[in-house]
Amino acid sequence: VVSRLVSVAVPVPTLGALTYSIPDAMPIPPPGARVVVPLGPRTLTGIVTGLASATPHFKVRDVHRVIDADAFVPPDVVALTEWVAKYYLAGPGAALAAALPPRALTGRVSHFKTSRVAALTAAGRDAADRLAALPRGVDVRAADLPVRLRRSRGRTGTVPGEAEPHPTGCAGLPRSLASLGARQREALRVLASAARGLATSVLSERGVPAATLTRLSALGLVALRDEQVERDPFWRAALASPEDEPGREPTEAQRAALDHLVPWAWRRTFHVALVHGVTGSGKTEVYLRLADAVRRSGRGVLVLVPEIALTPQVAALFRGRFGAAVAIQHSGLSMGERHDQWHRIRRGDVDIVIGTRSAVFAPLARVGLIIVDEEHDASYKQEEIPRYHARDVAVMRGKLASALVVLGSATPTLESYANAQAGRYSLVTLDRRVLERPLARVDVVNMRDEIAAEGPDVVLSRAVRAALAARLERGEQALVLLNRRGFAAAVFCRQCGASVDCPNCSVALTVHTGGSRFRPAAQGARGATPARAETRAGGPGRGDPGWRARCHYCNYAADVPRTCPVCAAPYMTQVGVGTERVEAEIRAAFPHARVARVDRDAVRRKGSLVRTLSRVARKDLDILIGTQMIAKGHDFPDVTLVGVISADGGLGLPDFRAAERTFQLLTQVAGRAGRGERAGEAIIQSLVPHHYSIQLARTQDYRVFFEKEMDFRRAMRYPPHVAMVNVVVRGRSLSEAMTRARALAELLRSRRGFVVLGPAPAPLVRLRGEHRAQFFLKGTSRNAMREALEAALTARADLARHATVDVDPQTVL
DNA sequence: AGCACGCCGACT
DNA sequence: GTCGGCGTGCTC
């Protein structure tokens, strides 16, 4: 008797693969096919992961329906998600969900999204033609335009607004083209070039709001219809058209890199290469040529980038070089767009996929090359279940597909560089910038000296102010980095010392200027402390609606109190500088400079980041202030100065990667300077200027940093010297969390192959109202840790529900 | 994740 | 006296 049992992964985070039977009347679905199954009182869609052989000791239920005769998710991607589920101790359903477009399983059965499309009607086309025929700037008079429009009689169920061209220029026209506003005319002009119409979302990005279309529709000039369209996610990457020079010969270093990498790609065996190329060394050109070679050999290429919205250049370059053969996957796309792209890939319409971390699961066939650009970037780690690291998943996918995996960075993670040193990866080094452009000179300013000279409130050092002034004078651009958003980091009482904390989390609230136009009174001259924030002195907190205290973890917000909530003293003082404060200082110091800010608050609106970045590219901005967002791989040739307001933010954190993060950030941001013809300069402000991560970023000496940091990790037994797992346990009180954590840790301590450290209260001891305790597993055997954890979490499901397991944690807060 | 069951506060 | 809060358990 042939087994008619299948394993099905269901979109339920904590559940393993479940066994169902296939009724005789149905064909056995292959791995990757979707099936509709009953689960308790529910009915949901799952993915077949394979045949189930065992004779179960529970009653097996029938599959309701087999949706796909063939794999919906490619079988190798199913295998990859099974590996992810195991490695990261997530349920197979959760891992599979990461590989599917959003709501593929949980949404409605219909997977098709429609777009509202606007197109010109006959009358609209007529009107657009007439408008186009008019010379620009001519005042349009009603009498010249014999188009008559009448309002809909409003019969229900019909398209409102029929228009009819009037035979002659007749008097008494109720409406005419002359009455069309500028927006409406613009809409007609834009639509005239799109015979089949344009999606309203596209139109709104081009400055035609939906209201205008509704109005034109009522006038009968535009017809609105709902249509299933192939959405083009590239329209939003308006920055696009970076200067691509495909004809240019690769540099000698690029040639050498390709001579090493291309043969590996031909070999069709699994191999990992680390490309360590300094900022501006032309890694992207290597990727493009390598991708071209692999694509020509009939195999697929997967390109992972940290965040497309931040670095649209790489995607745009690939799109420019390879055109429609490229698909894009990232979180900035609408659900419909992501869905479309996923299906394009699955159908085999493309052979190159570019995307953020989730694209590592793209349903691309015959993968021959996987590129992980900026492999050090923290955004490759997903901080929700399944807590996978896309770089590591990429390596595993390469292994399963016998593909070449290329990891690229100017500041590789210790993990990757250690693998290269150990010979597990090959190492390709590009240690010069293209065209022999020098790396930026980096200076470190000791802020203690500045404080001594200028007072405790100094934000911009004399060196940074002078350098900014020089850039403005020369018409060059500057980036100013501070990796902390908001205006001030905390508010505290100078009488009793109490700080204003989040009621739900164990953190101080951050002061924001709020969404209002309000700018802090920054009337000070050079060296003044424009936004010195004391409530009694007219700073924030005097009931000004612009000032808010916000929690960056749970979004709690309150007005900044003017008196101390504890002792009622009116001496609330702000401490710690954020990007909003930096912006205020710079605007005060350079009132004529064109300044913009980029951080998560400033770019909340869709497209505003792209707009700001393109303003930099167009030289429409002099100074760009921002968080690490501005440190990513941008290529702005006229930026000759990078200022770092404080390099110290990360160094105080109780995180063993603090130094590595600081070194990476400083090296990367310094790499934004001097990429064009003029040399660049970076100035780093710090209270601990002699810290090795700062000093080695100054000399931009990766190798020395690597050796030094590896020594530290070895001595302290931290990754990559050992493997680590972090377990966070939650409870209503800290003692409850600690009790649970102790019980779980005790179950693990009896095992061999690793050690258990803790439990202890987590650094963020309270988060969103929950108390948190944590412990670590450290050891050389991931298998031992995984098996022990699986056993412990299964044995104590009551504890497991309050525990979160993070394998290879990137942050231990 | 849902959805049910099951015990403790403020209302018809 | 009930409605409903979410803690706990279960889903092939």
Side-chain angles (χ1 to χ4, degrees):
Chain A
V1 177
V2 180
S3 165
R4 299 191 65 84
L5 300 179
V6 288
S7 278
V8 177
V10 289
V12 177
T14 55
L15 281 184
L18 304 180
T19 305
Y20 289 91
S21 50
I22 306 291
D24 288 341
M26 290 182 200
I28 304 269
R34 287 171 300 175
V35 287
V36 179
V37 295
L39 183 69
R42 295 183 286 165
T43 301
L44 34 76
T45 309
I47 302 280
V48 175
T49 57
L51 292 174
S53 48
T55 49
H57 51 274
F58 45 79
K59 70 172 172 96
V60 178
R61 298 173 76 178
D62 275 351
V63 160
H64 281 339
R65 190 159 73 86
V66 175
I67 299 179
D68 307 297
D70 306 309
F72 177 73
V73 183
D76 54 330
V77 176
V78 174
L80 188 66
T81 61
E82 286 182 308
W83 176 82
V84 166
K86 246 192 146 95
Y87 186 92
Y88 293 103
L89 287 111
L96 206 50
L100 288 168
R103 296 210 267 170
L105 296 181
T106 50
R108 316 286 316 262
V109 178
S110 152
H111 294 283
F112 296 101
K113 277 228 157 184
T114 53
S115 276
R116 172 141 293 198
V117 177
L120 293 179
T121 60
R125 176 149 301 280
D126 182 52
D129 287 348
R130 284 165 197 279
L131 280 173
L134 290 170
R136 278 194 171 271
V138 167
D139 189 28
V140 185
R141 299 303 315 159
D144 304 330
L145 297 162
V147 172
R148 172 170 157 176
L149 311 164
R150 66 180 160 79
R151 290 195 169 277
S152 157
R153 277 189 291 269
R155 267 191 303 152
T156 53
T158 60
V159 179
E162 295 279 313
E164 50 183 30
H166 199 270
T168 58
C170 171
L173 297 173
R175 297 188 73 80
S176 76
L177 285 186
S179 67
L180 295 177
R183 280 232 163 103
Q184 296 176 326
R185 293 183 210 180
E186 176 61 13
L188 293 180
R189 204 184 58 73
V190 170
L191 281 169
S193 59
R196 306 189 53 211
L198 287 170
T200 53
S201 55
V202 175
L203 284 162
S204 91
E205 190 64 18
R206 294 202 195 159
V208 180
T212 302
L213 295 170
T214 316
R215 186 114 195 90
L216 287 170
S217 160
L219 293 171
L221 298 177
V222 159
L224 293 173
R225 62 179 192 276
D226 287 329
E227 194 182 78
Q228 208 183 298
V229 290
E230 175 89 356
R231 284 153 281 218
D232 180 2
F234 287 93
W235 62 262
R236 205 175 284 141
L239 189 54
S241 61
E243 281 143 56
D244 189 13
E245 297 146 355
R248 199 211 284 162
E249 276 302 299
T251 66
E252 206 172 299
Q254 287 170 333
R255 184 82 266 157
L258 286 164
D259 287 345
H260 174 83
L261 295 169
V262 172
W264 274 116
W266 292 129
R267 224 161 284 170
R268 302 192 174 216
T269 56
F270 169 58
H271 179 73
V272 183
L274 174 63
V275 176
H276 177 211
V278 298
T279 55
S281 61
K283 291 187 287 293
T284 308
E285 183 61 31
V286 173
Y287 302 155
L288 285 161
R289 286 175 184 265
L290 187 58
D292 194 38
V294 171
R295 191 178 72 102
R296 283 167 191 278
S297 74
R299 301 222 285 168
V301 179
L302 201 48
V303 184
L304 303 188
V305 292
E307 180 52 76
I308 286 173
L310 297 179
T311 58
Q313 286 99 333
V314 176
L317 281 168
F318 270 88
R319 174 74 157 185
R321 234 22 105 94
F322 303 112
V326 178
I328 190 165
Q329 286 271 298
H330 67 94
S331 59
L333 300 183
S334 72
M335 294 237 265
E337 286 169 337
R338 276 213 263 184
H339 183 270
D340 290 351
Q341 293 298 315
W342 195 87
H343 282 277
R344 273 182 81 209
I345 299 163
R346 199 181 79 84
R347 283 197 306 265
D349 291 355
V350 303
D351 38 33
I352 298 180
V353 174
I354 300 183
T356 46
R357 63 170 178 267
S358 65
V360 74
F361 300 108
L364 184 69
R366 300 182 311 280
V367 173
L369 170 67
I370 306 176
I371 294 167
V372 184
D373 189 22
E374 311 289 1
E375 67 90 27
H376 64 277
D377 197 284
S379 71
Y380 283 123
K381 178 73 195 252
Q382 173 144 57
E383 295 294 350
E384 297 109 54
I385 294 165
R387 298 177 151 258
Y388 66 91
H389 197 300
R391 180 241 292 135
D392 299 335
V393 179
V395 169
M396 181 45 65
R397 184 162 190 182
K399 197 171 189 170
L400 294 174
S402 297
L404 170 65
V405 180
V406 173
L407 312 179
S409 177
T411 52
T413 52
L414 296 202
E415 281 81 355
S416 295
Y417 205 82
N419 277 328
Q421 278 210 325
R424 285 186 288 274
Y425 299 171
S426 62
L427 179 64
V428 176
T429 305
L430 301 168
D431 51 14
R432 297 273 178 82
R433 281 189 164 179
V434 294
L435 306 175
E436 298 298 318
R437 283 174 183 151
L439 287 167
R441 197 187 81 224
V442 182
D443 292 311
V444 180
V445 173
N446 187 344
M447 287 305 279
R448 292 183 201 281
D449 297 341
E450 299 299 308
I451 289 169
E454 310 249 311
D457 289 318
V458 60
V459 172
L460 304 174
S461 63
R462 291 161 293 181
V464 165
R465 281 201 306 266
L468 284 171
R471 292 318 179 289
L472 290 168
E473 197 159 299
R474 296 205 294 264
E476 297 169 6
Q477 292 173 301
L479 303 183
V480 176
L481 173 95
L482 177 60
N483 208 8
R484 179 195 281 147
R485 59 203 172 88
F487 190 84
V491 187
F492 83 105
C493 170
R494 282 192 297 148
Q495 179 158 292
C496 74
S499 66
V500 180
D501 294 334
C502 176
N504 311 313
C505 312
S506 51
V507 294
L509 296 178
T510 306
V511 179
H512 286 260
T513 53
S516 75
R517 284 276 151 79
F518 178 80
R519 297 267 175 230
Q523 68 280 57
R526 178 216 73 93
T529 56
R532 177 69 198 256
E534 288 189 20
T535 55
R536 62 197 171 113
R542 295 189 56 197
D544 191 312
W547 293 92
R548 296 285 280 171
R550 275 172 30 197
C551 175
H552 284 179
Y553 290 92
C554 75
N555 274 330
Y556 171 87
D559 287 331
V560 176
R562 55 194 297 190
T563 55
C564 178
V566 176
C567 74
Y571 307 123
M572 299 307 286
T573 304
Q574 299 188 2
V575 290
V577 175
T579 46
E580 292 176 19
R581 170 81 183 272
V582 174
E583 181 183 4
E585 298 273 349
I586 286 180
R587 284 184 190 279
F590 306 103
H592 301 298
R594 294 165 300 174
V595 175
R597 178 169 57 88
V598 162
D599 57 34
R600 251 197 305 151
D601 304 304
V603 302
R604 197 149 288 163
R605 278 171 307 135
K606 230 175 195 173
S608 88
L609 172 64
V610 169
R611 269 196 297 279
T612 306
L613 293 178
S614 69
R615 282 183 69 195
V616 180
R618 286 201 312 269
K619 293 209 69 178
D620 190 30
L621 274 180
D622 301 311
I623 302 172
L624 181 66
I625 300 152
T627 53
Q628 56 181 342
M629 279 186 178
I630 65 170
K632 310 249 167 167
H634 310 291
D635 194 0
F636 300 127
D638 291 304
V639 168
T640 59
L641 172 69
V642 166
V644 179
I645 296 302
S646 170
D648 311 334
L651 287 176
L653 299 176
D655 191 319
F656 69 90
R657 275 186 240 267
E660 184 182 6
R661 286 270 149 75
T662 300
F663 176 81
Q664 283 168 351
L665 181 64
L666 296 177
T667 307
Q668 292 287 341
V669 75
R672 300 312 113 213
R675 297 173 74 94
E677 291 177 5
R678 280 163 294 188
E681 177 189 12
I683 302 176
I684 298 171
Q685 302 184 165
S686 173
L687 288 167
V688 285
H690 302 296
H691 192 282
Y692 66 100
S693 64
I694 294 173
Q695 282 304 316
L696 292 170
R698 183 176 69 75
T699 52
Q700 307 203 24
D701 197 334
Y702 176 82
R703 284 296 305 266
V704 176
F705 177 80
F706 172 80
E707 298 295 345
K708 192 166 173 66
E709 186 68 7
M710 279 299 277
D711 286 344
F712 161 70
R713 304 282 179 93
R714 251 191 301 270
M716 301 298 290
R717 294 185 55 76
Y718 278 128
H721 183 67
V722 295
M724 195 156 120
V725 178
N726 181 17
V727 181
V728 174
V729 185
R730 297 173 302 273
R732 275 164 301 185
S733 64
L734 180 58
S735 65
E736 185 181 53
M738 283 293 288
T739 305
R740 287 170 176 164
R742 264 185 225 110
L744 211 46
E746 239 19 77
L747 282 177
L748 296 163
R749 257 188 249 281
S750 54
R751 302 292 200 113
R752 312 180 130 263
F754 59 89
V755 294
V756 182
L757 297 161
L764 244 171
V765 70
R766 234 154 50 82
L767 182 62
R768 288 185 262 274
E770 289 179 314
H771 293 258
R772 292 144 41 92
Q774 69 177 0
F775 61 86
F776 293 96
L777 312 189
K778 274 192 200 175
T780 46
S781 170
R782 275 208 178 73
N783 265 342
M785 294 192 270
R786 202 193 64 223
E787 279 164 22
L789 275 164
E790 260 171 10
L793 294 170
T794 310
R796 295 296 306 269
D798 56 326
L799 299 177
R801 71 186 304 113
H802 298 111
T804 308
V805 177
D806 192 354
V807 178
D808 303 335
Q810 294 301 295
T811 169
V812 295
L813 300 181

